Short mmCIF file of all heavy atoms in Angstrom, two decimals:
data_model
loop_
_atom_site.label_atom_id
_atom_site.label_comp_id
_atom_site.label_asym_id
_atom_site.label_seq_id
_atom_site.Cartn_x
_atom_site.Cartn_y
_atom_site.Cartn_z
N MET E 1 -54.89 86.06 213.72
CA MET E 1 -56.23 85.91 213.21
C MET E 1 -56.92 87.22 213.05
O MET E 1 -56.71 88.09 213.91
CB MET E 1 -56.99 84.87 214.12
CG MET E 1 -58.33 84.80 213.56
SD MET E 1 -59.51 83.47 214.01
CE MET E 1 -59.35 83.10 215.70
N ILE E 2 -57.64 87.36 212.06
CA ILE E 2 -58.36 88.62 211.82
C ILE E 2 -59.73 88.57 212.56
O ILE E 2 -60.42 87.68 212.33
CB ILE E 2 -58.58 88.83 210.29
CG1 ILE E 2 -57.22 88.93 209.59
CG2 ILE E 2 -59.38 90.09 210.10
CD1 ILE E 2 -57.39 88.94 208.13
N GLY E 3 -59.96 89.60 213.39
CA GLY E 3 -61.23 89.72 214.06
C GLY E 3 -62.25 90.56 213.20
O GLY E 3 -61.87 91.32 212.49
N ILE E 4 -63.44 90.17 213.31
CA ILE E 4 -64.47 90.83 212.64
C ILE E 4 -65.37 91.48 213.70
O ILE E 4 -65.88 90.89 214.63
CB ILE E 4 -65.42 89.84 211.86
CG1 ILE E 4 -64.54 89.25 210.76
CG2 ILE E 4 -66.56 90.67 211.20
CD1 ILE E 4 -65.25 88.25 209.98
N ARG E 5 -65.52 92.78 213.59
CA ARG E 5 -66.39 93.53 214.60
C ARG E 5 -67.76 93.64 214.02
O ARG E 5 -68.00 94.12 212.99
CB ARG E 5 -65.81 94.97 214.71
CG ARG E 5 -66.59 95.75 215.83
CD ARG E 5 -65.83 97.03 216.03
NE ARG E 5 -64.54 96.68 216.60
CZ ARG E 5 -64.03 97.38 217.59
NH1 ARG E 5 -64.64 98.41 218.08
NH2 ARG E 5 -62.79 97.03 218.00
N VAL E 6 -68.70 93.13 214.77
CA VAL E 6 -70.07 93.07 214.39
C VAL E 6 -70.94 93.83 215.40
O VAL E 6 -70.83 93.61 216.59
CB VAL E 6 -70.56 91.65 214.28
CG1 VAL E 6 -72.07 91.58 213.88
CG2 VAL E 6 -69.76 90.91 213.18
N HIS E 7 -71.69 94.69 214.95
CA HIS E 7 -72.63 95.42 215.82
C HIS E 7 -74.00 94.82 215.73
O HIS E 7 -74.70 94.98 214.83
CB HIS E 7 -72.66 96.94 215.47
CG HIS E 7 -71.41 97.60 215.47
ND1 HIS E 7 -70.81 97.94 216.66
CD2 HIS E 7 -70.47 97.87 214.52
CE1 HIS E 7 -69.66 98.53 216.43
NE2 HIS E 7 -69.41 98.48 215.19
N PHE E 8 -74.31 94.05 216.70
CA PHE E 8 -75.64 93.37 216.77
C PHE E 8 -76.80 94.09 217.02
O PHE E 8 -77.97 93.76 216.77
CB PHE E 8 -75.64 92.16 217.77
CG PHE E 8 -74.62 91.11 217.48
CD1 PHE E 8 -73.63 90.78 218.32
CD2 PHE E 8 -74.60 90.44 216.25
CE1 PHE E 8 -72.69 89.81 218.00
CE2 PHE E 8 -73.76 89.40 215.91
CZ PHE E 8 -72.80 89.07 216.89
N ASP E 9 -76.57 95.45 217.31
CA ASP E 9 -77.68 96.39 217.49
C ASP E 9 -78.16 96.94 216.24
O ASP E 9 -79.27 97.45 216.11
CB ASP E 9 -77.39 97.55 218.44
CG ASP E 9 -76.11 98.27 218.03
OD1 ASP E 9 -75.33 97.77 217.22
OD2 ASP E 9 -75.88 99.35 218.62
N GLU E 10 -77.41 96.70 215.13
CA GLU E 10 -77.83 97.17 213.79
C GLU E 10 -78.75 96.07 213.19
O GLU E 10 -78.63 94.93 213.41
CB GLU E 10 -76.63 97.31 212.79
CG GLU E 10 -75.80 98.46 213.13
CD GLU E 10 -74.65 98.64 212.15
OE1 GLU E 10 -74.76 98.08 211.05
OE2 GLU E 10 -73.72 99.29 212.46
N PRO E 11 -79.78 96.50 212.41
CA PRO E 11 -80.66 95.50 211.80
C PRO E 11 -79.92 94.64 210.77
O PRO E 11 -78.85 95.24 210.27
CB PRO E 11 -81.73 96.36 211.10
CG PRO E 11 -81.33 97.75 211.25
CD PRO E 11 -80.22 97.80 212.17
N ALA E 12 -80.34 93.49 210.51
CA ALA E 12 -79.59 92.52 209.66
C ALA E 12 -79.35 93.11 208.31
O ALA E 12 -78.36 92.88 207.61
CB ALA E 12 -80.37 91.23 209.57
N GLY E 13 -80.37 93.84 207.70
CA GLY E 13 -80.14 94.38 206.42
C GLY E 13 -79.06 95.45 206.25
O GLY E 13 -78.61 95.74 205.14
N ARG E 14 -78.55 96.07 207.37
CA ARG E 14 -77.48 96.96 207.29
C ARG E 14 -76.12 96.45 207.57
O ARG E 14 -75.11 97.09 207.33
CB ARG E 14 -77.79 98.08 208.29
CG ARG E 14 -78.98 98.80 207.94
CD ARG E 14 -79.24 100.01 208.93
NE ARG E 14 -78.24 100.91 208.74
CZ ARG E 14 -77.91 101.83 209.70
NH1 ARG E 14 -78.65 101.93 210.77
NH2 ARG E 14 -76.85 102.64 209.38
N ARG E 15 -76.05 95.17 208.05
CA ARG E 15 -74.71 94.56 208.32
C ARG E 15 -74.21 93.85 207.17
O ARG E 15 -75.08 93.39 206.27
CB ARG E 15 -74.84 93.49 209.53
CG ARG E 15 -75.04 94.23 210.84
CD ARG E 15 -74.69 93.23 211.97
NE ARG E 15 -75.29 91.88 211.68
CZ ARG E 15 -76.37 91.53 212.32
NH1 ARG E 15 -77.04 92.25 213.06
NH2 ARG E 15 -76.90 90.27 212.02
N ALA E 16 -72.91 93.67 206.99
CA ALA E 16 -72.36 92.96 205.84
C ALA E 16 -72.10 91.51 206.11
O ALA E 16 -71.61 91.11 207.25
CB ALA E 16 -71.00 93.66 205.42
N CYS E 17 -72.24 90.64 205.15
CA CYS E 17 -71.79 89.29 205.25
C CYS E 17 -70.27 89.12 205.39
O CYS E 17 -69.57 89.98 204.70
CB CYS E 17 -72.23 88.46 203.96
SG CYS E 17 -71.68 86.87 203.82
N ARG E 18 -69.74 88.38 206.25
CA ARG E 18 -68.36 88.30 206.44
C ARG E 18 -67.56 87.65 205.22
O ARG E 18 -66.39 87.73 205.14
CB ARG E 18 -67.96 87.62 207.77
CG ARG E 18 -68.44 86.14 207.81
CD ARG E 18 -68.00 85.58 209.14
NE ARG E 18 -68.69 84.27 209.35
CZ ARG E 18 -68.48 83.51 210.35
NH1 ARG E 18 -67.62 83.85 211.23
NH2 ARG E 18 -69.14 82.35 210.37
N TYR E 19 -68.34 86.87 204.38
CA TYR E 19 -67.68 86.19 203.23
C TYR E 19 -67.72 87.11 202.00
O TYR E 19 -66.67 87.45 201.46
CB TYR E 19 -68.46 84.95 202.96
CG TYR E 19 -67.77 84.24 201.80
CD1 TYR E 19 -66.56 83.54 201.85
CD2 TYR E 19 -68.39 84.20 200.50
CE1 TYR E 19 -65.97 82.84 200.74
CE2 TYR E 19 -67.83 83.60 199.43
CZ TYR E 19 -66.68 83.02 199.58
OH TYR E 19 -65.99 82.34 198.43
N CYS E 20 -68.94 87.61 201.71
CA CYS E 20 -69.06 88.35 200.40
C CYS E 20 -69.07 89.90 200.58
O CYS E 20 -68.85 90.66 199.61
CB CYS E 20 -70.16 87.92 199.58
SG CYS E 20 -71.81 88.30 200.30
N GLY E 21 -69.41 90.32 201.84
CA GLY E 21 -69.55 91.79 202.05
C GLY E 21 -70.94 92.33 201.65
O GLY E 21 -71.12 93.50 201.93
N GLY E 22 -71.80 91.52 201.16
CA GLY E 22 -73.16 91.96 200.78
C GLY E 22 -73.94 92.14 202.02
O GLY E 22 -73.70 91.61 203.10
N ALA E 23 -75.04 92.86 201.94
CA ALA E 23 -75.99 92.96 203.06
C ALA E 23 -76.66 91.81 203.46
O ALA E 23 -76.99 90.87 202.60
CB ALA E 23 -76.95 94.07 202.76
N LEU E 24 -76.91 91.51 204.75
CA LEU E 24 -77.60 90.32 205.19
C LEU E 24 -79.06 90.53 204.97
O LEU E 24 -79.58 91.60 205.04
CB LEU E 24 -77.46 90.12 206.72
CG LEU E 24 -76.04 89.84 207.10
CD1 LEU E 24 -75.97 89.72 208.69
CD2 LEU E 24 -75.44 88.58 206.54
N PRO E 25 -79.81 89.53 204.52
CA PRO E 25 -81.19 89.64 204.29
C PRO E 25 -81.94 90.03 205.59
O PRO E 25 -81.54 89.68 206.63
CB PRO E 25 -81.63 88.14 203.87
CG PRO E 25 -80.36 87.52 203.48
CD PRO E 25 -79.22 88.16 204.23
N PRO E 26 -83.01 90.76 205.38
CA PRO E 26 -83.72 91.36 206.59
C PRO E 26 -84.27 90.26 207.55
O PRO E 26 -84.40 90.55 208.69
CB PRO E 26 -84.85 92.11 205.99
CG PRO E 26 -84.60 92.22 204.60
CD PRO E 26 -83.64 91.20 204.18
N GLY E 27 -84.51 89.02 207.10
CA GLY E 27 -85.07 88.04 207.92
C GLY E 27 -84.09 87.25 208.78
O GLY E 27 -84.43 86.38 209.51
N LYS E 28 -82.77 87.55 208.68
CA LYS E 28 -81.77 86.87 209.45
C LYS E 28 -81.82 87.16 210.89
O LYS E 28 -82.28 88.14 211.37
CB LYS E 28 -80.39 87.22 208.91
CG LYS E 28 -80.09 86.63 207.60
CD LYS E 28 -79.93 85.18 207.78
CE LYS E 28 -79.25 84.50 206.56
NZ LYS E 28 -79.03 83.14 206.69
N ARG E 29 -81.35 86.23 211.74
CA ARG E 29 -81.23 86.39 213.18
C ARG E 29 -80.43 87.60 213.55
O ARG E 29 -79.50 88.03 212.70
CB ARG E 29 -80.57 85.16 213.86
CG ARG E 29 -81.43 83.88 213.70
CD ARG E 29 -80.65 82.73 214.44
NE ARG E 29 -79.28 82.98 214.73
CZ ARG E 29 -78.36 82.03 214.79
NH1 ARG E 29 -78.72 80.76 214.52
NH2 ARG E 29 -77.11 82.27 214.98
N ALA E 30 -80.61 88.07 214.70
CA ALA E 30 -79.87 89.26 215.16
C ALA E 30 -78.33 89.03 215.24
O ALA E 30 -77.54 89.90 214.97
CB ALA E 30 -80.34 89.69 216.53
N ASP E 31 -77.90 87.78 215.46
CA ASP E 31 -76.42 87.57 215.63
C ASP E 31 -75.85 86.86 214.34
O ASP E 31 -74.85 86.32 214.35
CB ASP E 31 -76.18 86.64 216.76
CG ASP E 31 -76.92 85.30 216.81
OD1 ASP E 31 -77.87 85.14 215.98
OD2 ASP E 31 -76.55 84.45 217.59
N ALA E 32 -76.58 86.89 213.17
CA ALA E 32 -76.13 86.27 211.96
C ALA E 32 -74.89 86.92 211.44
O ALA E 32 -74.87 88.21 211.46
CB ALA E 32 -77.25 86.16 210.98
N LEU E 33 -74.02 86.29 210.89
CA LEU E 33 -72.75 86.80 210.31
C LEU E 33 -72.68 86.56 208.81
O LEU E 33 -71.84 87.29 208.17
CB LEU E 33 -71.49 86.15 210.92
CG LEU E 33 -71.35 86.34 212.45
CD1 LEU E 33 -70.19 85.63 212.99
CD2 LEU E 33 -71.27 87.82 212.77
N ASP E 34 -73.43 85.56 208.23
CA ASP E 34 -73.40 85.24 206.86
C ASP E 34 -74.69 85.40 206.23
O ASP E 34 -75.75 85.13 206.81
CB ASP E 34 -72.87 83.80 206.70
CG ASP E 34 -71.56 83.58 207.43
OD1 ASP E 34 -70.59 84.29 207.20
OD2 ASP E 34 -71.57 82.84 208.40
N CYS E 35 -74.75 85.76 204.83
CA CYS E 35 -76.05 85.91 204.21
C CYS E 35 -76.63 84.65 203.80
O CYS E 35 -77.85 84.56 203.49
CB CYS E 35 -75.83 86.86 203.07
SG CYS E 35 -74.69 86.20 201.74
N SER E 36 -75.90 83.51 203.71
CA SER E 36 -76.40 82.23 203.32
C SER E 36 -75.57 81.09 204.00
O SER E 36 -74.50 81.31 204.27
CB SER E 36 -76.46 82.11 201.80
OG SER E 36 -75.15 82.02 201.36
N PRO E 37 -76.22 79.92 204.01
CA PRO E 37 -75.40 78.78 204.53
C PRO E 37 -74.26 78.47 203.65
O PRO E 37 -73.17 78.05 204.16
CB PRO E 37 -76.48 77.60 204.53
CG PRO E 37 -77.74 78.22 204.53
CD PRO E 37 -77.65 79.51 203.80
N ASP E 38 -74.32 78.71 202.37
CA ASP E 38 -73.19 78.49 201.44
C ASP E 38 -72.07 79.39 201.74
O ASP E 38 -70.95 78.91 201.80
CB ASP E 38 -73.65 78.67 199.93
CG ASP E 38 -72.57 78.45 199.02
OD1 ASP E 38 -71.90 77.41 199.12
OD2 ASP E 38 -72.36 79.31 198.15
N HIS E 39 -72.37 80.67 202.03
CA HIS E 39 -71.29 81.58 202.43
C HIS E 39 -70.63 81.30 203.76
O HIS E 39 -69.44 81.50 204.01
CB HIS E 39 -71.80 83.03 202.38
CG HIS E 39 -71.89 83.51 201.00
ND1 HIS E 39 -72.16 84.84 200.66
CD2 HIS E 39 -71.81 82.90 199.82
CE1 HIS E 39 -72.30 84.97 199.33
NE2 HIS E 39 -72.05 83.76 198.81
N ARG E 40 -71.49 80.75 204.71
CA ARG E 40 -70.85 80.31 205.93
C ARG E 40 -69.91 79.18 205.75
O ARG E 40 -68.73 79.22 206.27
CB ARG E 40 -72.06 79.83 206.86
CG ARG E 40 -71.63 79.36 208.26
CD ARG E 40 -72.83 79.05 209.08
NE ARG E 40 -72.51 78.22 210.20
CZ ARG E 40 -72.32 76.96 210.19
NH1 ARG E 40 -72.80 76.20 209.13
NH2 ARG E 40 -72.07 76.25 211.28
N THR E 41 -70.27 78.19 204.91
CA THR E 41 -69.40 77.11 204.65
C THR E 41 -68.12 77.49 203.91
O THR E 41 -67.05 77.08 204.31
CB THR E 41 -70.14 76.00 203.75
OG1 THR E 41 -71.26 75.65 204.38
CG2 THR E 41 -69.22 74.85 203.46
N ARG E 42 -68.30 78.35 202.93
CA ARG E 42 -67.05 78.80 202.16
C ARG E 42 -66.12 79.58 203.08
O ARG E 42 -64.90 79.47 203.01
CB ARG E 42 -67.50 79.70 201.01
CG ARG E 42 -68.22 79.03 199.93
CD ARG E 42 -68.53 79.88 198.78
NE ARG E 42 -69.29 79.17 197.73
CZ ARG E 42 -69.42 79.70 196.52
NH1 ARG E 42 -69.01 80.86 196.12
NH2 ARG E 42 -70.08 79.00 195.63
N TYR E 43 -66.64 80.46 203.90
CA TYR E 43 -65.87 81.23 204.84
C TYR E 43 -65.00 80.26 205.79
O TYR E 43 -63.73 80.48 205.87
CB TYR E 43 -66.71 82.07 205.75
CG TYR E 43 -65.86 82.77 206.85
CD1 TYR E 43 -65.13 83.98 206.56
CD2 TYR E 43 -65.83 82.34 208.04
CE1 TYR E 43 -64.43 84.54 207.53
CE2 TYR E 43 -65.16 82.95 209.10
CZ TYR E 43 -64.45 84.09 208.84
OH TYR E 43 -63.75 84.71 209.87
N HIS E 44 -65.60 79.25 206.30
CA HIS E 44 -64.86 78.32 207.17
C HIS E 44 -63.91 77.56 206.34
O HIS E 44 -62.84 77.25 206.86
CB HIS E 44 -65.90 77.44 208.02
CG HIS E 44 -66.53 78.20 209.01
ND1 HIS E 44 -65.92 78.62 210.17
CD2 HIS E 44 -67.80 78.65 209.15
CE1 HIS E 44 -66.78 79.24 210.91
NE2 HIS E 44 -67.90 79.24 210.32
N ARG E 45 -64.20 77.09 205.25
CA ARG E 45 -63.28 76.31 204.32
C ARG E 45 -62.02 77.12 204.01
O ARG E 45 -60.88 76.59 204.09
CB ARG E 45 -63.96 75.79 203.13
CG ARG E 45 -64.86 74.62 203.35
CD ARG E 45 -65.36 74.10 202.04
NE ARG E 45 -66.35 72.99 202.30
CZ ARG E 45 -67.24 72.59 201.41
NH1 ARG E 45 -67.28 73.13 200.22
NH2 ARG E 45 -68.07 71.63 201.71
N GLU E 46 -62.20 78.34 203.63
CA GLU E 46 -61.06 79.17 203.36
C GLU E 46 -60.31 79.50 204.50
O GLU E 46 -59.06 79.54 204.45
CB GLU E 46 -61.52 80.43 202.69
CG GLU E 46 -62.10 80.27 201.28
CD GLU E 46 -62.51 81.58 200.63
OE1 GLU E 46 -62.35 82.59 201.17
OE2 GLU E 46 -63.10 81.47 199.48
N ARG E 47 -60.93 79.63 205.72
CA ARG E 47 -60.13 79.89 206.86
C ARG E 47 -59.27 78.69 207.26
O ARG E 47 -58.07 78.84 207.61
CB ARG E 47 -61.14 80.26 208.02
CG ARG E 47 -60.43 80.69 209.26
CD ARG E 47 -61.54 81.24 210.17
NE ARG E 47 -61.06 80.89 211.53
CZ ARG E 47 -61.79 80.85 212.55
NH1 ARG E 47 -63.11 80.72 212.48
NH2 ARG E 47 -61.28 80.53 213.74
N VAL E 48 -59.80 77.53 207.23
CA VAL E 48 -59.13 76.23 207.47
C VAL E 48 -57.92 76.09 206.52
O VAL E 48 -56.76 75.72 206.85
CB VAL E 48 -60.02 75.05 207.45
CG1 VAL E 48 -59.24 73.79 207.50
CG2 VAL E 48 -60.98 75.08 208.64
N ALA E 49 -58.20 76.37 205.26
CA ALA E 49 -57.14 76.22 204.12
C ALA E 49 -56.06 77.30 204.37
O ALA E 49 -54.80 76.93 204.29
CB ALA E 49 -57.72 76.45 202.85
N ALA E 50 -56.35 78.45 204.88
CA ALA E 50 -55.34 79.44 205.12
C ALA E 50 -54.55 79.14 206.35
O ALA E 50 -53.30 79.31 206.32
CB ALA E 50 -56.04 80.85 205.37
N GLU E 51 -55.16 78.58 207.37
CA GLU E 51 -54.37 78.03 208.58
C GLU E 51 -53.49 76.92 208.18
O GLU E 51 -52.35 76.87 208.63
CB GLU E 51 -55.36 77.68 209.64
CG GLU E 51 -56.05 78.87 210.28
CD GLU E 51 -57.07 78.47 211.32
OE1 GLU E 51 -57.30 77.22 211.54
OE2 GLU E 51 -57.74 79.34 211.83
N ALA E 52 -53.88 76.03 207.30
CA ALA E 52 -53.05 74.92 206.84
C ALA E 52 -51.92 75.43 206.06
O ALA E 52 -50.71 75.00 206.20
CB ALA E 52 -53.86 73.91 206.06
N ALA E 53 -52.15 76.49 205.20
CA ALA E 53 -51.06 77.06 204.40
C ALA E 53 -49.99 77.69 205.31
O ALA E 53 -48.82 77.59 205.05
CB ALA E 53 -51.55 78.07 203.45
N ASP E 54 -50.44 78.37 206.36
CA ASP E 54 -49.47 79.02 207.28
C ASP E 54 -48.73 77.97 208.01
O ASP E 54 -47.51 78.14 208.20
CB ASP E 54 -50.29 79.91 208.37
CG ASP E 54 -50.86 81.08 207.80
OD1 ASP E 54 -50.43 81.51 206.64
OD2 ASP E 54 -51.72 81.66 208.41
N ALA E 55 -49.30 76.85 208.39
CA ALA E 55 -48.59 75.76 209.03
C ALA E 55 -47.52 75.17 208.11
O ALA E 55 -46.47 74.82 208.60
CB ALA E 55 -49.58 74.70 209.57
N ARG E 56 -47.86 74.96 206.80
CA ARG E 56 -46.90 74.51 205.83
C ARG E 56 -45.72 75.48 205.68
O ARG E 56 -44.48 75.07 205.60
CB ARG E 56 -47.57 74.21 204.58
CG ARG E 56 -48.30 72.93 204.50
CD ARG E 56 -48.72 72.58 203.13
NE ARG E 56 -49.44 73.63 202.48
CZ ARG E 56 -50.85 73.67 202.44
NH1 ARG E 56 -51.50 72.68 202.99
NH2 ARG E 56 -51.42 74.64 201.74
N ARG E 57 -45.90 76.75 205.75
CA ARG E 57 -44.95 77.79 205.56
C ARG E 57 -43.99 77.77 206.70
O ARG E 57 -42.82 78.07 206.58
CB ARG E 57 -45.56 79.11 205.42
CG ARG E 57 -45.69 79.55 203.89
CD ARG E 57 -46.16 81.06 203.80
NE ARG E 57 -47.45 80.96 203.17
CZ ARG E 57 -48.55 81.45 203.67
NH1 ARG E 57 -48.57 82.01 204.80
NH2 ARG E 57 -49.66 81.32 202.93
N ASP E 58 -44.51 77.35 207.91
CA ASP E 58 -43.66 77.39 209.13
C ASP E 58 -42.68 76.21 209.18
O ASP E 58 -41.67 76.37 209.78
CB ASP E 58 -44.53 77.28 210.38
CG ASP E 58 -45.30 78.63 210.56
OD1 ASP E 58 -44.93 79.65 209.90
OD2 ASP E 58 -46.33 78.60 211.23
N LYS E 59 -42.96 75.20 208.36
CA LYS E 59 -42.11 74.03 208.41
C LYS E 59 -40.90 74.26 207.51
O LYS E 59 -41.02 74.99 206.44
CB LYS E 59 -42.79 72.74 207.86
CG LYS E 59 -43.74 72.24 208.75
CD LYS E 59 -44.27 70.93 208.13
CE LYS E 59 -45.23 70.28 209.11
NZ LYS E 59 -45.84 69.04 208.43
N SER E 60 -39.66 73.82 207.83
CA SER E 60 -38.52 73.94 207.07
C SER E 60 -38.54 72.85 205.97
O SER E 60 -39.35 71.95 205.95
CB SER E 60 -37.27 73.82 207.88
OG SER E 60 -37.10 72.43 208.25
N GLU E 61 -37.80 73.16 204.98
CA GLU E 61 -37.77 72.20 203.82
C GLU E 61 -37.27 70.87 204.21
O GLU E 61 -37.77 69.85 203.76
CB GLU E 61 -36.86 72.87 202.72
CG GLU E 61 -37.01 72.13 201.36
CD GLU E 61 -36.27 72.83 200.32
OE1 GLU E 61 -36.18 73.99 200.29
OE2 GLU E 61 -35.67 72.09 199.41
N ALA E 62 -36.36 70.76 205.11
CA ALA E 62 -35.87 69.48 205.63
C ALA E 62 -37.00 68.71 206.37
O ALA E 62 -37.11 67.51 206.23
CB ALA E 62 -34.67 69.71 206.53
N ASP E 63 -37.80 69.37 207.10
CA ASP E 63 -38.90 68.82 207.89
C ASP E 63 -39.88 68.13 206.81
O ASP E 63 -40.41 67.11 207.01
CB ASP E 63 -39.67 69.74 208.76
CG ASP E 63 -38.80 70.22 209.83
OD1 ASP E 63 -37.80 69.49 210.28
OD2 ASP E 63 -39.11 71.24 210.49
N ILE E 64 -40.16 68.90 205.77
CA ILE E 64 -41.03 68.48 204.74
C ILE E 64 -40.58 67.23 204.07
O ILE E 64 -41.31 66.25 203.85
CB ILE E 64 -41.44 69.55 203.71
CG1 ILE E 64 -42.21 70.74 204.48
CG2 ILE E 64 -42.21 69.03 202.58
CD1 ILE E 64 -42.34 71.92 203.62
N ARG E 65 -39.27 67.19 203.72
CA ARG E 65 -38.66 66.01 203.09
C ARG E 65 -38.71 64.86 204.01
O ARG E 65 -38.96 63.72 203.56
CB ARG E 65 -37.27 66.40 202.69
CG ARG E 65 -37.15 67.22 201.52
CD ARG E 65 -35.72 67.40 201.13
NE ARG E 65 -35.60 68.34 199.95
CZ ARG E 65 -34.60 69.12 199.67
NH1 ARG E 65 -33.54 69.01 200.45
NH2 ARG E 65 -34.58 69.99 198.64
N ALA E 66 -38.40 64.98 205.25
CA ALA E 66 -38.36 63.86 206.28
C ALA E 66 -39.88 63.39 206.40
O ALA E 66 -40.06 62.14 206.47
CB ALA E 66 -37.89 64.35 207.57
N GLU E 67 -40.88 64.20 206.39
CA GLU E 67 -42.19 63.79 206.52
C GLU E 67 -42.60 62.93 205.30
O GLU E 67 -43.25 61.95 205.35
CB GLU E 67 -43.15 65.03 206.69
CG GLU E 67 -44.53 64.62 207.02
CD GLU E 67 -45.38 65.95 207.20
OE1 GLU E 67 -44.99 66.65 208.18
OE2 GLU E 67 -46.33 66.12 206.48
N LEU E 68 -42.24 63.40 204.07
CA LEU E 68 -42.53 62.69 202.89
C LEU E 68 -41.85 61.32 202.75
O LEU E 68 -42.35 60.40 202.34
CB LEU E 68 -42.18 63.54 201.67
CG LEU E 68 -43.06 64.81 201.33
CD1 LEU E 68 -42.52 65.59 200.31
CD2 LEU E 68 -44.44 64.38 201.11
N ALA E 69 -40.64 61.29 203.25
CA ALA E 69 -39.90 60.03 203.33
C ALA E 69 -40.53 59.02 204.25
O ALA E 69 -40.51 57.82 203.94
CB ALA E 69 -38.38 60.31 203.72
N GLU E 70 -41.10 59.51 205.29
CA GLU E 70 -41.80 58.58 206.22
C GLU E 70 -43.08 57.99 205.60
O GLU E 70 -43.46 56.82 205.94
CB GLU E 70 -42.21 59.35 207.49
CG GLU E 70 -41.01 59.65 208.40
CD GLU E 70 -41.46 60.46 209.56
OE1 GLU E 70 -42.61 60.78 209.76
OE2 GLU E 70 -40.54 60.93 210.29
N ARG E 71 -43.78 58.74 204.71
CA ARG E 71 -44.93 58.28 204.21
C ARG E 71 -44.78 57.27 203.13
O ARG E 71 -45.71 56.46 202.78
CB ARG E 71 -45.69 59.49 203.58
CG ARG E 71 -46.19 60.47 204.53
CD ARG E 71 -47.00 61.48 203.89
NE ARG E 71 -47.44 62.59 204.73
CZ ARG E 71 -48.01 63.72 204.44
NH1 ARG E 71 -48.28 63.90 203.14
NH2 ARG E 71 -48.31 64.59 205.34
N ARG E 72 -43.56 57.30 202.44
CA ARG E 72 -43.36 56.30 201.39
C ARG E 72 -43.20 54.97 201.91
O ARG E 72 -42.49 54.67 202.89
CB ARG E 72 -42.09 56.73 200.57
CG ARG E 72 -42.25 58.02 199.87
CD ARG E 72 -41.04 58.34 199.01
NE ARG E 72 -41.26 59.76 198.40
CZ ARG E 72 -40.21 60.47 198.16
NH1 ARG E 72 -38.93 60.21 198.48
NH2 ARG E 72 -40.45 61.65 197.65
N PRO E 73 -43.69 53.96 201.20
CA PRO E 73 -43.54 52.53 201.58
C PRO E 73 -42.18 52.03 201.35
O PRO E 73 -41.31 52.37 200.72
CB PRO E 73 -44.60 51.77 200.89
CG PRO E 73 -44.97 52.72 199.72
CD PRO E 73 -44.54 54.12 200.09
#
């Protein structure tokens, strides 16, 4: 997993949003990581999708076929 180093001692306007990389608005909390609720949601959705893709890559082709055969009625 990729870690993000955040310096909370910097004002919000100088820190970057972890999704888009743009500056955080000056009114954000000291520990804010995202510039908007939408970017927070998008970051988490992409992270979950990336983890699911990694899990699919780890399965062998035979495992995937067996799983699909179990699902069929």
Side-chain angles (χ1 to χ4, degrees):
M1 176 165 35
I2 298 173
I4 298 174
R5 185 173 294 221
V6 177
H7 299 284
F8 294 123
D9 55 343
E10 291 182 18
R14 296 184 62 202
R15 287 196 320 257
C17 171
R18 64 181 168 173
Y19 179 74
C20 69
L24 295 180
K28 285 291 192 175
R29 295 184 339 214
D31 60 345
L33 299 174
D34 307 297
C35 63
S36 69
D38 181 50
H39 283 189
R40 180 176 162 268
T41 303
R42 288 181 185 199
Y43 172 79
H44 286 289
R45 282 184 184 164
E46 288 182 6
R47 187 171 150 209
V48 168
E51 289 174 2
D54 288 343
R56 281 192 302 264
R57 268 188 238 120
D58 292 342
K59 289 184 178 181
S60 71
E61 194 171 322
D63 292 338
I64 294 170
R65 284 185 184 152
E67 188 176 302
L68 290 174
E70 289 174 4
R71 290 183 189 174
R72 292 183 186 152

